[in-house]
Every structure is written in structure tokens, then in C-alpha cells.
Amino acid sequence: MRRVRLLAILFLVSVAAACLMAEFIAPASYAQQFREVPNAAPTRQHLLGTDDLGRDRLSRLLYGMRVSLLLAPAAAALSSVLAAVIGGAAGFVGGWLETGVMAATDLFLSLPWLFLLITVRALLPLNVSPITSVVITFALLGCLGWAAAARVICADARTLCASDMVLLARASGSSGFRLLWRHIVPNLRPVLSAQFWISVPVFILTEANLGVLGLGVAEPLPSWGSLLRELESFSSVTAQPWQFVPLVLVIATVSCFHLAMQEQETWA
Amino acid sequence: MNRILTSIAVLFAVVLNSAPARAQSGNQLRFCIGAEPKTFNPLLADDEPSETVRYLTGGVLMRLNRMTQQLEPELATAWKVSRSGNAISFTLRANVRFSDGTPFSAGDVAYTMQRLMDPALHSPTGDSFRSGEGKVVTQITGSNQITVTFPKPIVGLDKLFDQVAILSAKSQQKEMAVLGPYYVAENKAGSYLLLRRNPNYWKRDAAGRQLPYIDSVRLDIQQNRDMEMLRLARGEIDFINSLSAEYYDKLAAQGAKMAYDAGVSLDSEQMWFNQVPSSPLPAYKRAWFTSTSFRRAISESINREDIARVVYRGHARPAASWISPANKFWFNAKLQPHPFDQKSALQMLAHEGFRLQSGVLRDSGGHAVEFSVITNAGNKARERMATMMQQDLAGIGVRLNVVTLDFPSLIERIAHSFNYEACLLGLVNDDLDPNAQMNVWLSSAENHQWNPSQKTPATAWEAEIDTLMHSQASTFDAKKRKQAIDRVQEIVWQQEPFIYLVNKNALSAVSPNLHNAHPVALRPQVYWNIDELTLGSEVARNR
């Protein structure tokens, strides 16, 4: 099992390295349209062929993975921090704050996410560059994805507050911020870490879902979501099996994240 | 023993009874519609599935032949539009009955017209006949003669009757009693609709055989276009009325002669800039968008040939005008699509004070030229067009941001808040007469998208378009109308309030099992001659 985890981490590192070195590896710019060869099969110039507009698929895959792999963890970190602050405070203070926060969390969890994201996306300013749009998309995911994690953290913080360890700390005069910072937060770290690793693949897939609806990252910037849109047409995919490469990579990456997360949980 | 014999007899009876049913289902035309029809009342049909049902079941006084684009007699054997243009007299076909056996008479035409023009009904078909204040008068002048008089003249009056399915004034079945080739026999909500041959249909072929040849039509409700393609390949449906270029190429590549390209259609794809004075745009951007040279320069920087070749895989044509070349009479053949010429575009922009500085186009105030174009999310062709325009415009130093929005958000921006810079959309056009586009071209119209509902025309050329559109609507001289419409096309070509990109081809797929299908550019592309269509089994039976 340990070897499998090692392989998973190795895979993630290789993918991340390939994405970070996209400028050197990619045979062309992700935006350049080779209009004479749209929908081309793999050739020496275009190892994964070209898309509908003649853009090199390999280049778009590398840059698209970079976008998703850089920004999904960033969004996951944002949602984990929000969950830690909101859930941690609710669990630590308890009483009316906990009741209020949990009610807000329930409300948040009951919202139809996809429609909410579509609405919020539609309200944003139009004249933003593709890079800004992708940052906005992932920031939205981060800001809206804290609720489930906050519930877990709140429960954990509450359990910790009632533990012997915290009772002992209180007895020795520790209270308020010091109690939170020195005793509660360090013990919440493994849960937070697990929540972070769970969120990363979730955000990658959510962005992919938004991309499938045409509401993800703005053109010409690629993302995993926009790359997966090519799979919408079943009949074209069966004729061009190399279009499956982004899907295979998403599955492999998400699986590797889960394996890495299991390792975190073991540590926790 | 008796019981066994009885059981065998019953079984035989069932088998014998089911034999004709099998034969009947074998002569059934099947195709898909994207959604359930919203109504079976032909006067209220507004959505595509309802219009399909209306076309297949409704009997009309005259029908526009989709191939020749000429009117042909149906329930009316002759008609005459009055000199003043506000009345039309029909001579009706005798001995015609509705699907339920009720006889057809001039009273039914009068009843239909009264219902159609009833303001309480809100009939979309009736809207085309509303020429002014006042009542529509129907006068039955003989057993088969009727005159319909409108309060004011209506141009292209006779052609409007192609959409008017005649209702029965006396039938208990109300709008379900029809005069068309089929009647609605079964409606399984969300699943399918079954139409059966109208036993009282009046039309016969040259050999005297009653039409239509096909016994029944099954309309399967299927939203997924991929599934529709699979079902065609499996032989479960007989045609696809409207096909995307991608699917067309796939079918063509398979070798089977199923894919049909009927040539350029009436539909167009276009972009426009927001020129609404009250829009929340900065003044310098409004100045760009209201400048003819700026719009012309953007237009000339877009490679329409590439869009037609790459996005539509060669099944589209660069557009020159708001009227498609498919509209044989009204298209102004003198107009050519704007050429892709970025040098000329930069010269035009230079005259307006724009300059290219290290790859970025700047206006006289030093603002970098950057704008966003909105289009509806999920429309792949438009998203691809916008992305191609993005690369083309980068060639003259313009940064274009492509924004895809869900349809309600897009409509909110272009019709209410006017909070957008440019928009890319298409126009689905069914009407050959340009008068149908009055609601777009008059400066006071709500659909005058670049600057709607103007109290007085904002520019001299819009005032001229108003005058020309009004003048063509008030004359019945086809030559004069054509001159006016040609001039409007010229003005639009020069001013480019809409930057027309391409006219898509009408693509469809027809199974080899379906005979006599001659797909055309006008809707409904494949089944416009439904009376004459035959299936493989029917051809064999006739032999």
C-alpha cells in the first residue's frame, strides 16, 4: 500500500512538473490556431492532434492542467481557511454562535450549487482577462465550498473543548486566544489537512462541470473543464480516442490525490 | 380439450389481428423533436415542436412551396388580393371534410379568422395580420367564396396564410379536427406523439390515390442530439431535420448517402456593438462603438472565410447582408461580404485617430482598445466563432474578451440593463418577406438591438432606413419594394450596425429508407412535401 501511495505522489509530482515547465515542453502556444488543420489526428507536430479550431491539444492539456492544478489547491486552501475560522470559532465558543453558524451551514449546504455559481458568474464584470476570469472562478469555488468542512471542524473543535487535555489546560490557567491557538488549532490541523486534500479534486471537477456548461474559464485559456468539453459528443470521441487523454489524466490525478489524502488521514 | 382448442383459436385470432397492426407500424415515419409541443391549437403555435405538429396536421388555404418559394393552392383553389391591399378573396375547394367527418365550408374560414384576430387569444400567427386599429371583417359571398378585409393594407398578405391552419367551426373535437394530412392520434407526455393519416384528406396523387402515402408519423421527444444520431444510424428514425456541421461530416464520412446539404439557409450569425446612449459604458467606448469606421475596421479584421471553413466545416457562407442569398427574390446580389483586410482596417482606424503601439491599438485618448463579446453558453459554434474573432482582432492590436452567459442573463443584459459591450448571436429566420423584420429595422423597435426603442432616429442612416422600411410596407408594387429593401441592405452593409458573419447551410440527414425526400433550405427542410414521402416498405408494396 505504501508503494502505491509513493507511486501516486510520484505521479502528482511528475504532472505538476510537466505543467510548470509547459513553456519548454509544449510544442505551441495554447491559443495559437492552426486553422489549416482543425480536428487533426496525432502527428509529429501535434502529438495529441488539434482541437476544433486547430489548437495543439498537448499544449492546451499542459497549460490547462497547470491552471487547474495551481488554482484548485489555492481554492481548497481558501475554503479550508474559511471552514477553520467559521467552524473552529463555532465549536470553540459554542452556544448561540454554534447554533447560528450551523443553521447558516445547513442553509449553505441546501443551496443548488451549480445554479448559484452560474448566477454569481453572470453577475461578475464582463471585461476581465481570461486569467482574471479563471482566478475569479476558483475564488468563487473557494468562497462557496467551506460549509461541509466547517461542519466537520465545528464538531471536532467541540469534542476537543470537552476533552481532558483542554480541561487540563484550562485548569492551568490557559484561556481565550491562547487556548485556541496553542491547544485547539494544532489538534485540528490533521482534520483541516484532510479537508484540504478532499477539496482539491472536488474543485477540479466542479470547474470541469462549469466548463462543460460553457461557464468555466474564459477562452482562449484552457482548463481541464474546457478540455473535457470535447467529450460531450459521444460519436466524435469514439472516432478520436486520443480525446480521452484529459479524462484519463483527471481520473488519475483525482485518484492520486485521494491516495495521498489517505496517507494524510493515516498520519492524522 | 375444448379449453385447449378455444385457447388455440383465441391465440390465432390475436395473431391474425396483430398482422395488420404490424404492417401499419412498418409504414410509419419516425423522427425526433427536441421537446413536447406546448399546444395543439395551431393558432397559438410558437415553439418549433408545435409548429411541426401544425405543419403535419393543419390544412391551409395556400402553401408556400419550400423548393420554388412560390405559393400553391391548397384548400383555396384561387385567391385575389384587392388593389388596396387590405382584402383577400378566396375560392374554396368543394367536398372537403375535416378528419372527424365535419364538412369544410367558408364558415370555417370566417371562424378561423375571427379566432385568429381575437385579441384575447394572443395568437402569434395573428400578430402578422395586425395592420392597424379596427376589426377584421369576413364576408361569405357564395357557397365557396369568402372575402377577408383587414383595417389597413398588409404587404405580402397572401403569403401569411401559409401559417394559418383552418379550424372547424362546428366540430365537437374543436382544434383536434384537422384538414391536413395527419391528425393527432396519441400523445404520450414526454415520450412520443403519434399522428395517423387523415382518412378525409382531400389531396390525391396523379393516379388518383389518396395522399399521404405514409400511414402514421411518430414524433419521439429527444433532446440529446447524440442520441438522435445513434437512433438514425440504428434505423430507429427516418430523418434528422436540422443537423450540425459536425454531425453532417460524420455521416458523410461513414459513406452512407444520408447527409444532405441543401445550401445556404435563411439563418445568419452576427455580432453588434452596444450603442445605447443610456448604457453604463465609459464615454470613450461608446464613441468607438458609434463610429462607423471602427465597426467597419472590426468587420474587415474578421476572417469570415475561416469561420465558415473551420467552425461550420465549409457548410456556411460569409454573410453580406441581413437577407440571406437563400431568399432568392429579396437578397441584394450586388453586395459582397466584407473582405478580410487588416491593412485596410488599420488605415480606417488611423483616420479616426487610433494608433498601433507595440502591438496594442490605442485611441486618440490613449485608451487601449479592449472590449468583451457576450454569447450564450453551450452554443459551441458561437463560442468557437468568438474565439476565432479573438485571434483575428489580436492582429490589429485589439483585445477581445469572450464571455459566455446563460441565456436569461444574456437577454437581461441586451434587452434591459444594456450592460454589455458587444454581443454575438444568430437570427433564425422563417419568413421570406423582409417586412417580417420591421421589428428589427425601425429605430423605434424593441428588437433594434444596437440601440432599441429610439424616440427619434439617432443617426441619419437610421432615419433613412425608417423611411425606406415604411415606404416598402405601404406599397404593393413588388419592384418598388425590392428597390427600397435593396437600399436598406446597402445602408446596413455600409454602416454595419450588425456585423454579419456567416449564413449557415441547411443540413439534414435522411435514411435511405425514406423516398421522395428533397431537403431544402427553408423549414421544414425534410418533410415540407410530407404528402409525397414514402418509406421503403411502401415503395415495395406499390411495386
Side-chain angles (χ1 to χ4, degrees):
Chain A
M1 196 62 193
R2 198 178 169 78
R3 196 172 290 172
V4 174
R5 282 180 197 149
L6 205 68
L7 278 173
I9 290 165
L10 198 68
F11 176 82
L12 286 176
V13 169
S14 324
V15 166
C19 298
L20 290 173
M21 292 193 290
E23 275 89 353
F24 308 105
I25 302 171
S29 156
Y30 62 80
Q32 193 179 347
Q33 297 165 8
F34 298 92
R35 292 183 183 175
E36 297 310 311
V37 283
N39 288 307
T43 58
R44 273 189 189 174
Q45 285 81 25
H46 308 290
L47 290 175
L48 285 178
T50 60
D51 71 2
D52 295 324
L53 298 179
R55 296 175 294 192
D56 184 76
R57 263 206 198 95
L58 177 63
S59 309
R60 290 185 66 75
L61 181 64
L62 289 169
Y63 282 99
M65 285 198 306
R66 178 201 278 190
V67 166
S68 297
L69 285 179
L70 280 178
L71 290 174
L78 177 63
S79 78
S80 300
V81 168
L82 284 173
V85 172
I86 297 167
F92 180 66
V93 176
W96 61 268
L97 184 66
E98 188 183 350
T99 313
V101 166
M102 286 304 103
T105 309
D106 285 342
L107 181 72
F108 232 73
L109 288 172
S110 65
L111 290 174
W113 282 105
L114 207 56
F115 294 106
L116 189 71
L117 277 169
I118 289 170
T119 311
V120 176
R121 185 75 182 80
L123 291 174
L124 290 172
L126 299 178
N127 227 338
V128 291
S129 67
I131 290 173
T132 317
S133 92
V134 70
V135 172
I136 290 172
T137 303
F138 277 99
L140 269 176
L141 294 178
C143 288
L144 299 174
W146 57 268
R151 264 195 160 283
V152 177
I153 287 159
C154 177
D156 228 47
R158 198 192 314 120
T159 313
L160 272 173
C161 284
S163 68
D164 292 345
M165 176 259 296
V166 172
L167 192 69
L168 204 66
R170 281 187 201 276
S172 22
S174 184
S175 66
F177 182 76
R178 185 182 159 80
L179 184 68
L180 183 70
W181 190 245
R182 295 293 299 269
H183 300 283
I184 308 282
V185 170
N187 284 293
L188 284 176
R189 209 175 292 153
V191 185
L192 274 172
S193 167
Q195 288 301 323
F196 169 80
W197 288 109
I198 288 170
S199 304
V200 172
V202 168
F203 289 149
I204 288 175
L205 294 178
T206 311
E207 189 280 320
N209 284 336
L210 279 178
V212 169
L213 291 172
L215 295 159
V217 175
E219 289 278 10
L221 199 66
S223 73
W224 249 329
S226 58
L227 295 169
L228 290 177
R229 279 193 79 187
E230 286 193 308
L231 303 180
E232 277 177 327
S233 168
F234 171 77
S235 44
S236 69
V237 174
T238 44
Q240 299 180 320
W242 52 90
Q243 287 186 18
F244 277 112
V245 173
L247 179 68
V248 171
L249 273 171
V250 168
I251 294 170
T253 309
V254 170
S255 307
C256 289
F257 267 119
H258 277 286
L259 286 170
M261 187 192 72
Q262 276 174 15
E263 194 171 18
Q264 291 289 321
E265 281 172 349
T266 312
W267 289 345
Chain B
M1 187 65 186
N2 270 350
R3 267 189 196 171
I4 293 169
L5 282 175
T6 313
S7 305
I8 291 169
V10 168
L11 194 67
F12 260 101
V14 168
V15 169
L16 284 174
N17 276 335
S18 66
R22 270 207 309 273
Q24 194 174 35
S25 69
N27 188 18
Q28 184 179 71
L29 181 75
R30 292 180 70 151
F31 66 98
C32 294
I33 49 176
E36 220 169 319
K38 285 183 184 163
T39 178
F40 288 131
N41 184 342
L43 306 184
L44 292 177
D46 200 16
D47 53 306
E48 206 179 323
S50 304
E51 283 173 359
T52 299
V53 174
R54 179 177 69 187
Y55 193 89
L56 294 170
T57 62
V60 291
L61 295 171
M62 51 263 228
R63 180 68 86 198
L64 182 82
N65 182 314
R66 267 50 177 180
M67 191 173 266
T68 61
Q69 298 186 7
Q70 298 297 318
L71 276 178
E72 290 177 352
E74 288 271 312
L75 294 168
T77 52
W79 62 90
K80 195 178 177 189
V81 179
S82 69
R83 276 193 178 181
S84 55
N86 68 332
I88 183 164
S89 301
F90 299 102
T91 304
L92 304 178
R93 199 172 289 279
N95 304 320
V96 175
R97 285 179 179 275
F98 282 87
S99 54
D100 66 341
T102 318
F104 162 66
S105 68
D108 297 314
V109 178
Y111 170 73
T112 304
M113 290 312 297
Q114 294 305 332
R115 289 286 314 277
L116 185 76
M117 301 312 292
D118 181 356
L121 187 73
H122 299 293
S123 164
T125 314
D127 287 343
S128 331
F129 289 92
R130 283 184 228 288
S131 56
E133 293 291 315
K135 275 196 167 181
V136 175
V137 178
T138 51
Q139 193 182 6
I140 299 170
T141 49
S143 58
N144 288 328
Q145 302 278 337
I146 184 167
T147 301
V148 185
T149 309
F150 295 88
K152 279 194 175 170
I154 301 172
V155 283
L157 176 61
D158 47 0
K159 285 194 173 70
L160 296 178
F161 282 90
D162 174 73
Q163 309 282 320
V164 183
I166 302 300
L167 303 177
S168 169
K170 293 174 185 161
S171 171
Q172 299 293 312
Q173 292 187 14
K174 295 190 173 172
E175 65 257 17
M176 300 311 277
V178 293
L179 289 162
Y182 295 94
Y183 69 94
V184 178
E186 200 181 331
N187 176 24
K188 188 107 177 166
S191 175
Y192 69 87
L193 194 68
L194 186 67
L195 312 180
R196 285 198 199 283
R197 180 172 23 200
N198 176 358
N200 300 318
Y201 190 50
W202 60 272
K203 214 185 264 186
R204 290 175 186 275
D205 66 8
R209 189 177 163 191
Q210 193 189 22
L211 296 175
Y213 294 120
I214 295 170
D215 292 335
S216 61
V217 181
R218 185 180 155 119
L219 312 175
D220 287 325
I221 296 158
Q222 179 63 260
Q223 285 184 328
N224 188 315
R225 305 309 300 265
D226 247 6
M227 285 301 296
E228 197 178 3
M229 278 285 284
L230 279 174
R231 294 186 66 181
L232 181 79
R234 284 188 205 139
E236 290 174 10
I237 56 170
D238 297 297
F239 67 85
I240 298 176
N241 205 39
S242 177
L243 208 62
S244 71
E246 201 177 338
Y247 287 139
Y248 177 94
D249 276 4
K250 260 166 232 162
L251 271 183
Q254 284 167 14
K257 202 181 168 338
M258 288 167 94
Y260 286 83
D261 184 342
V264 69
S265 72
L266 295 179
D267 302 345
S268 60
E269 295 291 324
Q270 65 260 23
M271 75 166 277
W272 70 90
F273 289 105
N274 179 2
Q275 297 184 47
V276 179
S278 59
S279 66
L281 294 177
Y284 67 91
K285 281 199 175 178
R286 203 172 304 122
W288 301 347
F289 301 157
T290 50
S291 151
T292 304
S293 300
F294 180 83
R295 294 194 301 268
R296 285 287 296 269
I298 295 295
S299 173
E300 290 193 8
S301 304
I302 297 170
N303 193 332
R304 292 170 171 80
E305 294 279 354
D306 272 3
I307 289 177
R309 186 174 51 78
V310 176
V311 177
Y312 293 99
R313 301 173 183 228
H315 303 292
R317 207 198 254 202
S321 165
W322 54 283
I323 295 179
S324 153
N327 196 338
K328 292 171 191 170
F329 181 74
W330 294 105
F331 175 64
N332 184 345
K334 284 182 200 158
L335 301 178
Q336 294 297 317
H338 290 278
F340 174 58
D341 189 347
Q342 296 196 327
K343 232 180 183 176
S344 148
L346 282 170
Q347 279 169 2
M348 261 187 270
L349 288 165
H351 282 298
E352 287 283 302
F354 290 87
R355 61 199 185 281
L356 196 59
Q357 281 180 340
S358 19
V360 177
L361 188 72
R362 293 186 184 277
D363 67 7
S364 51
H367 302 105
V369 179
E370 177 184 0
F371 61 87
S372 62
V373 64
I374 56 172
T375 191
N376 55 319
N379 187 316
K380 276 190 190 174
R382 289 197 189 123
E383 287 171 27
R384 285 174 197 155
M385 268 192 281
T387 310
M388 290 185 78
M389 281 158 50
Q390 198 174 42
Q391 179 161 306
D392 287 343
L393 294 183
I396 57 163
V398 173
R399 199 163 108 173
L400 177 68
N401 297 313
V402 179
V403 182
T404 55
L405 295 173
D406 58 301
F407 214 71
S409 307
L410 184 129
I411 296 296
E412 165 62 25
R413 283 182 188 263
I414 63 170
H416 301 113
S417 69
F418 304 115
N419 187 7
Y420 72 102
E421 293 176 340
C423 180
L424 171 64
L425 277 183
L427 180 73
V428 175
N429 198 4
D430 278 332
D431 211 321
L432 291 172
D433 198 306
N435 200 53
Q437 289 197 40
M438 285 288 268
N439 61 347
V440 173
W441 295 108
L442 291 183
S443 59
S444 57
E446 279 184 17
N447 290 331
H448 192 72
Q449 296 296 356
W450 67 91
N451 187 6
S453 309
Q454 298 172 37
K455 283 182 183 156
T456 50
T459 58
W461 57 268
E462 281 174 288
E464 191 183 349
I465 289 179
D466 281 0
T467 311
L468 288 163
M469 288 306 283
H470 281 303
S471 80
Q472 68 80 33
S474 59
T475 177
F476 295 92
D477 183 336
K479 235 182 182 177
K480 278 186 184 165
R481 287 193 66 205
K482 171 78 172 134
Q483 277 172 357
I485 294 297
D486 277 355
R487 176 65 192 140
V488 175
Q489 289 180 76
E490 277 170 24
I491 296 170
V492 173
W493 187 89
Q494 284 158 0
Q495 298 294 333
E496 299 214 72
F498 283 132
I499 297 176
Y500 286 94
L501 300 170
V502 289
N503 292 118
K504 296 182 283 182
N505 285 11
L507 307 176
S508 48
V510 180
S511 145
N513 191 40
L514 184 63
H515 301 268
N516 288 343
H518 306 290
V520 292
L522 306 191
R523 287 184 185 81
Q525 295 92 329
V526 176
Y527 60 90
W528 62 274
N529 57 341
I530 183 73
D531 293 340
E532 296 160 12
L533 296 182
T534 55
L535 288 165
S537 53
E538 175 71 11
V539 171
R541 208 161 73 185
N542 286 343
R543 279 174 195 159

